[in-house]
Amino acid sequence: MRIVELTEDTKKDILNNLLKRSTNNYSSYEEDVVKIVEDVKNNGDKALFDYTLKFDKVKIDASNVKVTEAEIEEAYKLVDSKLVEIIRKALKNIREFHQKQVQNSWFDSKADGTFLGQKVTPLEVAGVYVPGGKAVYPSSVLMNVVPAKVAGVDKIIMTTPPAKDGSIYPSTLVAAKEAGVDEIYKVGGAQAIAAMAFGTESIPKTDKIVGPGNIFVALAKKAVYGNVSIDSIAGPSEVLVIADETANPRYLAADLLSQAEHDELASSILLTTSKELAQKVSLEIDEFLKILSRKDIISKSLENFGYILIAKNLDECISTANAIASEHLEIVTQNPFEVMTKIRNAGAIFLGEYSSEPLGDYFAGPNHVLPTNGTAKFFSALSVDDFIKKSSIISYSKQALEEIHQDIIDFANAEQLTAHANAIAVRFQ
Amino acid sequence: MRIVELTEDTKKDILNNLLKRSTNNYSSYEEDVVKIVEDVKNNGDKALFDYTLKFDKVKIDASNVKVTEAEIEEAYKLVDSKLVEIIRKALKNIREFHQKQVQNSWFDSKADGTFLGQKVTPLEVAGVYVPGGKAVYPSSVLMNVVPAKVAGVDKIIMTTPPAKDGSIYPSTLVAAKEAGVDEIYKVGGAQAIAAMAFGTESIPKTDKIVGPGNIFVALAKKAVYGNVSIDSIAGPSEVLVIADETANPRYLAADLLSQAEHDELASSILLTTSKELAQKVSLEIDEFLKILSRKDIISKSLENFGYILIAKNLDECISTANAIASEHLEIVTQNPFEVMTKIRNAGAIFLGEYSSEPLGDYFAGPNHVLPTNGTAKFFSALSVDDFIKKSSIISYSKQALEEIHQDIIDFANAEQLTAHANAIAVRFQ
């Protein structure tokens, strides 16, 4: 794995290289996607099923689009019961963490009859997209469904593209059932996103769509944003590790590789103050590569977006980490909590040598749906917050309004909104 | 004002009519906007100033784009000192309400060495857009800036299109100064949004862009979403009033009119159980129209999107209000708090006959930047939440990880992510 000395120039080059992974560069597909979205919006089920036949090569219609209880029962027979047990254990941790995110409605009142507050209401219908294809990630189902469930969403639906025989992966169905999905539909791609955004005869309209997907899914989510809410548009995964000379190079190498195996656009970066550690990690990576099953993907990912960066000191590591704003950040230093206090931008922060990133992917409880590609500067992990909205509550007594009515009238008149001024004035004439 | 009996059919027609106001229908401008955004992204100041000359007819360059302290001092001389005092009073209420929205970082630890938490960090740079043109709304400046300020954002910048002589409205400058804006730039339109999204030589790159604007501004915000965060895309304003026979028709009429004066796409709707009230409100509206300065706009707005709807009972009012999901909702009934408990979808809810909507626009404290056009089903008022992000914190001891390490390995292997399994396994070999 390449070792690079960190300077202002190399830092700039690396930041630019990482940004090449952005989904915002794929606008060439945008026109096609908008066409699909419009078609499903206007023609409902017909368009939805036509695209399913065209892209997924399977004939789905209103009679078989919804997964039946019998199909779910069948799925349980096909999934290793040990995996079901593990899913339940993971779910317990994920629920426990997300329950702590629940926000209360609140109010504040004054003795003059003023009552101000904020009312928290869960969304009514949430839509979870689950990709099909070769990769089957039941953990992703749990992470997308649990926050909606904990938020108190009335109905959670799921869409996922079927195989050519019309089936859905058993572990996807089991994970959905365990997490509490109410309805599962056998459609995928941009057409499924459009169906959840506008509703069709078969698919209910949702208030928010979450879940990963390919570039067509990502662009469709962007296209329907505003008609529904969406989660942040996911890019390729990434990990950044800040380590000093106290870190175990073997553990670091294994963690960097675990990120790189996701796909060729994934990025694994080590930021260290120790040249010796850098060398050792690089050697360990070579060793591990010989035995790992996904070594082709890993090699390409490391070649494209993998770096071992040598910094002059820990402060330089921290400022670079803040500039990169990585999805995952591991801090493996003598005092990781102290370093953490200086981190502004990261999706999830893993502290110490036993907080390996896959712990967060599967089990610890915090969500693994995280802001990627620098967006941790302004976006957060998927959470219960994503499935609620807040309404302001304003109640003034006559006395309370009378006290300030002239100020409001004057302010409104200053903005030339005379009907606004009138609305206040009539109450005291 | 038209009086319509509420039935399933009329309800559907009205919902469809209201949706016609959506900014999502203006996609014909999208191509032009994307071109401007790309140009500013690639060519920075040069493109930014070229567009300013083209659209705003004023020559701005790096030497004069930033408002000076002298210009702000001059603005104070031009603004009525009474307005400055009112702005300060309003600011006090707005700050007080938003301070209650501040969320804490939290953690939860277990005796086995597990530490899980959520770290709240303010965004670093926020950008506030303030429209130019005929309408000058210092209240809007306050509402967009205060939540960022209360959140602890390091730097708040503002952009607003200059007049042809290069000046900015004095009341805009005074409101910005009072609210705590750090830097003000004389640029507007899609080019200003692009500048704040990507940064130029003169304008710093921001993490989030908020503030209202015309259709070009709205489309530009949509185009840069993902590169930065944005607030929800604002549509035309609206009010819905639920009232029973106890309501004062004169007050209701004045409130409906105050909403209608915003623009021709604004919507004012009364939902009532009382035919008598409906008639009286309609008559009061006719009376008020004779004296209001913006009667042309009001008349068109009422004609296009104004309704007095007669419902069979209060439950029907409530379910219709939830379907419309209005930006502002007034509840003027015998027991407004009880009705409020049944409201799921509304941006801000005003209770009782002295909680007139303009009270919220200017003074009460809750934000007046609210989800419009049905998006209150999933979006919230602008708040401190918009200017923070949350990072998950995960720290496991050796003991804590050992306890569950086999489960993680099995889960990762079930997903065929063998390098993930390896990262955990190496720690216990």
Side-chain angles (χ1 to χ4, degrees), chain A residues 21 236-240 259 266-267 324-328 371-374:
Chain A
R21 303 149 64 234
S237 200
E238 67 223 4
V239 72
L240 183 76
Q259 198 57 34
S267 168
I324 293 175
S326 189
E327 182 190 13
H328 306 98
T372 56
N373 214 6

Side-chain angles (χ1 to χ4, degrees), chain A residues 119 293 343 353 385 390 418, chain B residues 119 293 343 385 390 418:
Chain A
K119 185 189 185 194
S293 61
I343 297 297
E353 68 178 352
D385 300 355
K390 298 171 178 176
T418 50
Chain B
K119 184 188 185 194
S293 60
I343 297 297
D385 299 356
K390 298 172 179 177
T418 51

Side-chain angles (χ1 to χ4, degrees), chain A residues 165-180:
Chain A
D165 66 356
S167 70
I168 306 290
Y169 282 108
S171 60
T172 301
L173 293 182
V174 167
K177 181 72 183 173
E178 292 291 326

Side-chain angles (χ1 to χ4, degrees), chain A residues 89 101 118-119 139 261 293 343-346 349 353 385 389-392 407 415 418 420 427, chain B residues 89 101 118-119 139 261 293 343-346 349 353 385 389-392 407 418 420 427:
Chain A
K89 281 199 231 174
Q101 294 175 332
Q118 205 170 258
K119 185 189 185 194
S139 62
E261 80 172 329
S293 61
I343 297 297
R344 286 192 76 127
N345 305 324
I349 306 173
E353 68 178 352
D385 300 355
K389 72 271 174 56
K390 298 171 178 176
S391 304
S392 309
D407 288 330
E415 292 191 349
T418 50
H420 281 62
R427 285 165 161 90
Chain B
K89 281 198 229 174
Q101 294 175 331
Q118 207 170 257
K119 184 188 185 194
S139 62
E261 80 172 328
S293 60
I343 297 297
R344 286 193 76 128
N345 306 325
I349 306 174
E353 67 178 352
D385 299 356
K389 69 270 174 58
K390 298 172 179 177
S391 304
S392 309
D407 287 331
T418 51
H420 281 62
R427 286 167 160 88

Side-chain angles (χ1 to χ4, degrees), chain A residues 78-120:
Chain A
L78 298 169
V79 173
D80 187 348
S81 64
K82 204 170 77 175
L83 181 61
V84 179
E85 278 314 308
I86 295 173
I87 284 175
R88 285 177 185 162
K89 281 199 231 174
L91 263 176
K92 187 175 167 290
N93 286 352
I94 300 167
R95 278 197 199 108
E96 215 171 283
F97 184 84
H98 286 80
Q99 269 151 3
K100 293 190 207 306
Q101 294 175 332
V102 173
Q103 297 184 47
N104 292 322
S105 298
W106 55 263
F107 73 88
D108 186 48
S109 64
K110 288 186 186 150
D112 66 356
T114 306
F115 178 107
L116 296 175
Q118 205 170 258
K119 185 189 185 194
V120 175

Side-chain angles (χ1 to χ4, degrees), chain A residues 257-270:
Chain A
L257 290 163
S258 78
Q259 198 57 34
E261 80 172 329
H262 273 295
D263 61 70
E264 292 164 14
L265 289 174
S267 168
S268 301
I269 300 176
L270 171 64

Side-chain angles (χ1 to χ4, degrees), chain B residues 290-344:
Chain B
K290 292 177 195 159
I291 56 157
L292 288 170
S293 60
R294 294 163 71 89
K295 67 175 167 228
D296 291 348
I297 295 173
I298 294 174
S299 300
K300 280 195 188 130
S301 153
L302 293 183
E303 201 173 299
N304 292 332
F305 303 109
Y307 300 94
I308 295 175
L309 299 174
I310 303 188
K312 279 189 283 297
N313 50 47
L314 212 47
D315 278 348
E316 206 182 41
C317 293
I318 291 164
S319 66
T320 304
N322 281 330
I324 293 176
S326 187
E327 182 190 14
H328 305 98
L329 173 67
E330 288 188 5
I331 304 175
V332 192
T333 60
Q334 201 148 28
N335 195 342
F337 276 87
E338 191 183 319
V339 174
M340 181 268 279
T341 65
K342 297 174 186 164
I343 297 297
R344 286 193 76 128

